[in-house]
């Protein structure tokens, strides 16, 4: 079997049941949805987007083998002479909105948040020996393109105290009449929740305070809009899924009803 044949064989290996992640049932068309065509890939490669690797420079087989050794789901995408890891391939139907706060100054920029998340989330993950999938030694890449740039944001919406809202990751996409999370954000500390949820980040420190009215109003507007896609939408605090944090603050239950 040639290298190309082996890559294609494991390109969408549904036969491997993950040890830690839950078994995920994905519509057949979904695994191909986010993968670019050869023409699109060529344009991206020419633009030097960092999440494509040349097979001549970096052989994907050791990464595939290390992942398969743990019998995990793998999502290595092969486009011609290039390959990358598709972190969105396990997206799930949209069920939840997770609320976060930045716990920092009110004037932090989206660019600063993006850089911080690249260092604290992606760089850390790509340096680890975790085999789900095995990516140690690769240049950190998210596969998320936002406004023509690679984004390491884990959030889909960022809301400032004055109500100004910035869009982050692409939120939703319709597959066979079902609304799925489009770009999966690394925000909840729980992979299954990440795959089914959108993240809203409130700029500010609300550890022991309540967000101002303009910010509450803006978040409520976002959530009301998202209920069109799922009327049974759950709105939950970050700490519900991660016991290591109190994000978005101890007062959340006092203002939860105002946004949901």
């Amino acid at each position: 079997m040639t290298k190309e044949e082996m890559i294609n064989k494991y390109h969408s290996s549904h036969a491997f049941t993950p040890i830690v992640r839950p078994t995920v049932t994905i519509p057949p068309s979904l695994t191909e949805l986010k993968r670019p065509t050869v023409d699109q890939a060529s344009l991206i490669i020419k633009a030097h987007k960092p999440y494509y690797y040349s097979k001549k420079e970096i052989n994907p087989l050791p990464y595939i083998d290390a992942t398969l050794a743990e019998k995990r789901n793998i999502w290595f995408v092969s486009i011609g002479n290039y390959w990358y890891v598709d972190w969105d391939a396990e997206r799930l139907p949209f069920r939840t909105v997770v609320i976060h706060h930045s716990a920092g100054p009110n004037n932090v920029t989206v660019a600063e948040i993006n850089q911080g998340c690249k260092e604290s989330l992606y760089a850390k993950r790509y340096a680890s020996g975790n085999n789900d999938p095995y990516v140690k030694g690769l240049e950190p890449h998210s596969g998320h393109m936002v406004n023509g740039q690679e984004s390491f944001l884990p959030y889909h919406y960022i809301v400032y105290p004055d109500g100004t809202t910035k869009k982050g990751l692409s939120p939703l996409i319709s597959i066979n009449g079902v609304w799925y999370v489009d770009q999966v954000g690394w925000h909840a500390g729980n992979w299954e929740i990440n795959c089914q949820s959108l993240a809203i980040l409130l700029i500010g420190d609300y550890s022991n305070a309540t967000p101002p009215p303009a910010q509450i109003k803006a978040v409520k507007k976002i959530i009301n809009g998202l209920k069109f896609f799922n009327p049974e939408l759950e709105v939950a605090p970050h700490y519900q899924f991660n016991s290591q944090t109190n994000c978005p603050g101890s007062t959340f239950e006092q203002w939860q009803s105002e946004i949901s």
Side-chain angles (χ1 to χ4, degrees), residues 51-244:
Y51 61 91
Y52 274 85
Y53 298 99
S54 166
K55 294 175 187 175
K56 293 181 180 179
E57 297 176 358
I58 301 179
N59 181 0
L61 295 185
Y63 297 91
I64 294 174
D65 290 341
T67 301
L68 293 178
E70 295 293 324
K71 299 187 186 302
R72 307 294 181 91
N73 283 347
I74 68 169
W75 304 101
F76 293 102
V77 179
S78 176
I79 302 290
N81 293 320
Y82 294 85
W83 67 284
Y84 73 99
V85 179
D86 180 6
W87 289 103
D88 297 325
E90 290 188 321
R91 59 171 66 82
L92 292 169
F94 172 50
R95 298 188 179 94
T96 308
V97 169
V98 181
I99 305 298
H100 302 257
H101 73 152
S102 64
N106 293 346
N107 61 349
V108 65
T109 67
V110 173
E112 290 170 336
I113 297 170
N114 183 69
Q115 182 61 31
C117 291
K118 178 180 180 180
E119 296 171 0
S120 64
L121 298 176
Y122 284 86
K124 182 178 180 180
R125 177 64 184 76
Y126 278 79
S128 78
N130 189 318
N131 283 357
D132 191 13
Y134 186 81
V135 294
K136 186 174 182 179
L138 295 179
E139 183 70 19
H141 63 279
S142 68
H144 294 158
M145 302 303 294
V146 177
N147 296 325
Q149 300 292 324
E150 186 174 35
S151 173
F152 295 92
L153 290 171
Y155 311 109
H156 299 83
Y157 301 94
I158 298 171
V159 183
Y160 283 82
D162 65 357
T164 299
T165 300
K166 305 285 187 180
K167 288 186 178 180
L169 299 179
S170 175
L172 299 173
I173 192 161
S174 179
I175 311 295
N176 298 330
V178 177
W179 288 101
Y180 284 75
V181 173
D182 186 7
Q183 295 179 331
V184 176
W186 297 15
H187 63 90
N190 178 307
W191 183 251
E192 183 178 11
I193 296 300
N194 287 346
C195 291
Q196 69 177 40
S197 68
L198 301 185
I200 300 178
L201 174 68
L202 280 67
I203 299 298
D205 188 348
Y206 303 114
S207 299
N208 299 292
T210 300
Q215 195 169 32
I216 291 287
K217 182 178 179 180
V219 173
K220 182 177 180 62
K221 181 178 180 180
I222 294 170
I223 291 174
N224 282 344
L226 293 174
K227 286 182 177 178
F228 171 82
F229 302 96
N230 184 348
E232 304 300 321
L233 186 64
E234 175 189 18
V235 179
H238 182 194
Y239 62 69
Q240 179 173 317
F241 308 109
N242 186 342
S243 62
Q244 303 302 309

Side-chain angles (χ1 to χ4, degrees), residues 10-37:
Y10 296 123
H11 187 74
S12 56
S13 70
H14 294 79
F16 295 94
T17 302
I19 296 173
V20 176
R21 294 182 184 176
T23 300
V24 177
T25 301
I26 302 177
S29 61
L30 189 58
T31 58
E32 300 298 327
L33 180 72
K34 298 300 291 182
R35 293 171 183 166
T37 64

